[in-house]
Amino acid sequence: MLPPPRGRKHLDHYLHPLDRLAHKLDIHHSLSVAEKAAIRDLPHIVRWREAQSYTLREGDRPDRCAILLSGYAFRHKLTGDGERQILSLHIPGDALDFQNMFLEESDHNVQMLTRGQVAEIPREPLEELAMNNAAVGRAIMIHTLVKAAIFREWVVNVGRRDARTRIAHLLCEFAYRLTTFGQTPTGSFELPITQEQLADATGLTAVHVNRVLKGLEADGLIDRTRRIVSFPDWRMLRDVGDFNSRYLHAPELET
Amino acid sequence: MLPPPRGRKHLDHYLHPLDRLAHKLDIHHSLSVAEKAAIRDLPHIVRWREAQSYTLREGDRPDRCAILLSGYAFRHKLTGDGERQILSLHIPGDALDFQNMFLEESDHNVQMLTRGQVAEIPREPLEELAMNNAAVGRAIMIHTLVKAAIFREWVVNVGRRDARTRIAHLLCEFAYRLTTFGQTPTGSFELPITQEQLADATGLTAVHVNRVLKGLEADGLIDRTRRIVSFPDWRMLRDVGDFNSRYLHAPELET
DNA sequence: CGTACGTTTGATCTTTCTCAATAATGGTGG
DNA sequence: CCACCATTATTGAGAAAGATCAAACGTACG
């Protein structure tokens, strides 16, 4: 699930871009072939985005919704002191801002974590489809509600868990979502994120994140190569991270 | 905005119960008279709920949605260690679980903070109205999105603000929501919440909350009488709490 | 091969937590 | 209205998780 190296052909090349979205919505609320086709037929533009580039900024009033097709993105907000809190991590197939269909002004930022592709759908036709096609509308509502459930779990994570548990939980969530919704084969997972970003996602400092990661590694819970993390023992990490997947409202994982 | 004393007539007596909901939805997305009437005509049962009683429990699969009519409620989740994190506070007119219309299993608990009334609407007719009446559907979507925006702000609050700012922010949010959506006259606000609940909402301990509250009081930012807090200087508290109302997507306040 | 960015480590400091005891408060029954 | 009980608030002392500061080390990439 790493972003494609520049210039190399990516698997996605063989899929229609919006199939990613249709597939993800379909997992929570199954859609007919016609409904999936209606999604695929939405007008859209596919763009490559560089790492760190902004998809959305606080205060913007965008007239389109972005769907992440490849690579990773994250959502964040800044405090008055300029401190950053990362609010969510996004994987291919995620809608980065369905919110824009209904709220005027964005209250947060969305930024690419890695290089990747984004499909931009104009607000109007997407909204029309959502309102006129009951199943699609329902699927979008469900997607939104699951995102809200994830925000709630993040409040718990940051508010009531210690550093080690917090980081383990974040890693578990990411792995779980990748396995359930992504094209990733089961087994090992990777996350190209800096320790500073990890700190901003967990409400810690980069220095402390570093120490916790080393601790998890020393205990055999994670393996690290550069900015990439993999998990040799899912079940153990899940226990350490106090991770229960109920809030993701997704099909159970085997493992 | 305190809950009505038992046995005394409450103002609400003179309103149709679901007007509260219609009014709140109307603020974010204006509804016609007919649309508001359609909401009012939804089948429902009004119940009194005692303080501390549960409206919804994690794991439940409810077949109705609850609307808070009077009193306050809160949403929370427990960690594996049994620690509680409060996720949101609710004021009259709030939908306590629109989520139930679309997701099977609840991933959190909702509990009454004070005694109050709740209207329960069966899932089916509510869902039907939402799907068939575009404006109502849109209004419900917006209500859901604003709730999600509030969860995001809570992640920021708990993740990246110090104790004093955190508590001041929570108080500001509550006051702002009451003023914007409630029937409360401007000026002073009250919140019947224990310090332990405040601690669970801010990711702190009750002891520390106590110290912070005394500090805020000593600095003239809040007044306290028993479990009730009021704010003599809104603007100052807003600055201390790093509070910016953008995320509430509500009309600006005068003050 | 030098620069910029990210990681690692040590030493020290602060906020916040923990534990424990005491004081208020609110509600209840008499 | 009063005494009693349970909950909540308050306060102090000590401990600890995590933050801060500062420096050294790696690595990627132009």
Side-chain angles (χ1 to χ4, degrees):
Chain A
M1 284 316 302
L2 292 176
R6 300 184 187 213
R8 219 197 74 201
K9 249 184 198 171
H10 189 251
L11 189 69
D12 296 356
H13 185 74
Y14 304 105
L15 278 179
H16 185 283
L18 296 185
D19 274 338
R20 269 253 150 64
L21 173 62
H23 174 246
K24 174 155 295 190
L25 293 178
D26 188 40
I27 289 174
H28 279 125
H29 183 65
S30 62
L31 299 172
S32 69
V33 173
E35 286 150 355
K36 280 188 264 194
I39 291 172
R40 190 183 318 139
D41 290 346
L42 284 166
H44 63 278
I45 300 169
V46 175
R47 292 184 198 283
W48 275 100
R49 293 279 195 177
E50 293 306 312
Q52 314 307 323
S53 66
Y54 279 80
T55 288
L56 179 69
R57 281 176 193 275
E58 179 165 356
D60 279 359
R61 295 165 166 276
D63 55 359
R64 36 103 197 122
C65 291
I67 310 298
L68 188 59
L69 302 178
S70 65
Y72 299 123
F74 65 103
R75 193 178 298 270
H76 73 270
K77 233 173 147 160
L78 301 174
T79 67
D81 292 348
E83 294 216 80
R84 177 175 68 172
Q85 175 67 46
I86 292 181
L87 303 162
S88 56
L89 297 178
H90 294 281
I91 66 176
D94 277 349
L96 297 180
D97 47 13
F98 268 162
Q99 179 170 354
N100 296 340
M101 260 192 292
F102 301 95
L103 296 178
E104 290 301 324
E105 195 178 87
S106 173
D107 55 48
H108 60 261
N109 308 286
V110 178
Q111 212 173 346
M112 295 298 294
L113 186 57
T114 65
R115 186 163 184 269
Q117 290 168 101
V118 161
E120 294 179 358
I121 307 175
R123 181 176 164 151
E124 294 293 339
L126 179 53
E127 195 177 333
E128 200 177 328
L129 177 61
M131 299 313 267
N132 295 333
N133 184 315
V136 174
R138 211 160 197 288
I140 286 177
M141 186 66 170
I142 289 173
H143 186 271
T144 303
L145 287 170
V146 171
K147 294 296 174 207
I150 296 176
F151 291 135
R152 285 194 294 270
E153 184 67 30
W154 279 47
V155 175
V156 176
N157 204 37
V158 166
R160 280 285 180 245
R161 296 199 179 104
D162 67 18
R164 171 177 246 248
T165 313
R166 234 182 262 190
I167 291 178
H169 190 280
L170 182 142
L171 296 176
C172 285
E173 178 187 302
F174 192 77
Y176 196 99
R177 286 170 57 205
L178 266 189
T179 311
T180 314
F181 301 114
Q183 281 61 41
T184 317
T186 323
S188 149
F189 308 89
E190 303 179 303
L191 174 57
I193 191 173
T194 68
Q195 294 180 5
E196 190 176 358
Q197 289 163 337
L198 210 41
D200 284 344
T202 49
L204 301 166
T205 57
V207 171
H208 199 59
V209 165
N210 180 270
R211 290 178 171 132
V212 170
L213 285 177
K214 299 206 78 180
L216 290 173
E217 189 169 34
D219 297 345
L221 290 164
I222 62 174
D223 277 338
R224 295 184 301 153
T225 315
R226 299 197 187 80
R227 231 167 289 159
I228 294 167
V229 189
S230 68
F231 321 148
D233 188 338
W234 162 256
R235 206 168 300 179
M236 200 159 41
L237 192 67
R238 184 193 63 190
D239 292 346
V240 169
D242 186 27
F243 180 78
N244 176 321
S245 64
R246 168 180 278 154
Y247 73 100
L248 293 173
H249 298 273
E252 278 303 321
L253 224 54
E254 283 305 311
T255 48
Chain B
M1 285 314 302
L2 292 176
R6 300 186 187 213
R8 218 196 76 204
K9 248 185 198 169
H10 187 252
L11 189 69
D12 296 356
H13 185 75
Y14 304 106
L15 278 180
H16 185 284
L18 295 186
D19 274 338
R20 270 254 148 65
L21 173 62
H23 173 248
K24 174 153 297 191
L25 292 178
D26 187 40
I27 289 174
H28 278 127
H29 182 66
S30 63
L31 299 172
S32 69
V33 173
E35 285 150 357
K36 281 188 266 195
I39 290 172
R40 189 182 320 136
D41 291 346
L42 284 166
H44 63 279
I45 300 168
V46 175
R47 294 183 198 282
W48 276 101
R49 293 281 194 174
E50 292 307 313
Q52 315 308 323
S53 67
Y54 279 80
T55 287
L56 179 70
R57 282 178 193 273
E58 179 165 357
D60 280 358
R61 296 165 166 275
D63 54 0
R64 37 99 197 128
C65 291
I67 311 296
L68 187 60
L69 301 178
S70 65
Y72 299 123
F74 65 102
R75 192 178 298 273
H76 73 271
K77 231 172 149 162
L78 302 174
T79 66
D81 292 347
E83 294 217 79
R84 176 175 69 172
Q85 175 67 46
I86 292 181
L87 302 163
S88 55
L89 297 178
H90 294 282
I91 66 177
D94 278 348
L96 298 180
D97 47 13
F98 267 164
Q99 181 171 353
N100 296 340
M101 259 191 292
F102 301 95
L103 296 179
E104 291 301 324
E105 194 178 88
S106 173
D107 54 48
H108 60 261
N109 308 286
V110 177
Q111 212 174 345
M112 293 301 291
L113 186 57
T114 65
R115 187 162 184 271
Q117 291 168 101
V118 161
E120 294 179 359
I121 308 175
R123 180 178 166 150
E124 293 292 340
L126 178 53
E127 194 177 333
E128 200 177 328
L129 177 61
M131 298 313 268
N132 295 333
N133 184 316
V136 174
R138 211 161 196 287
I140 286 177
M141 186 65 169
I142 289 173
H143 186 271
T144 303
L145 287 169
V146 171
K147 293 297 175 208
I150 296 177
F151 291 135
R152 285 194 295 269
E153 185 67 29
W154 279 46
V155 175
V156 175
N157 204 37
V158 166
R160 281 286 179 243
R161 296 198 180 104
D162 66 18
R164 170 177 246 247
T165 313
R166 231 182 265 189
I167 290 177
H169 190 281
L170 183 142
L171 296 175
C172 286
E173 178 186 303
F174 193 78
Y176 196 100
R177 286 171 56 205
L178 267 189
T179 311
T180 313
F181 301 114
Q183 280 64 38
T184 318
T186 322
S188 150
F189 308 89
E190 303 178 306
L191 173 59
I193 190 173
T194 68
Q195 294 179 6
E196 189 176 358
Q197 289 162 338
L198 209 41
D200 285 343
T202 50
L204 300 167
T205 58
V207 170
H208 200 58
V209 165
N210 181 271
R211 292 181 169 130
V212 170
L213 285 177
K214 300 208 78 181
L216 290 173
E217 190 169 33
D219 297 344
L221 290 163
I222 63 174
D223 277 338
R224 296 182 302 153
T225 315
R226 299 197 188 82
R227 231 166 288 160
I228 294 166
V229 189
S230 68
F231 320 147
D233 188 340
W234 161 255
R235 207 166 302 178
M236 200 159 40
L237 191 66
R238 186 194 60 191
D239 291 346
V240 169
D242 185 27
F243 180 76
N244 176 320
S245 65
R246 169 179 278 152
Y247 73 98
L248 292 173
H249 298 273
E252 278 302 320
L253 224 56
E254 283 306 309
T255 50

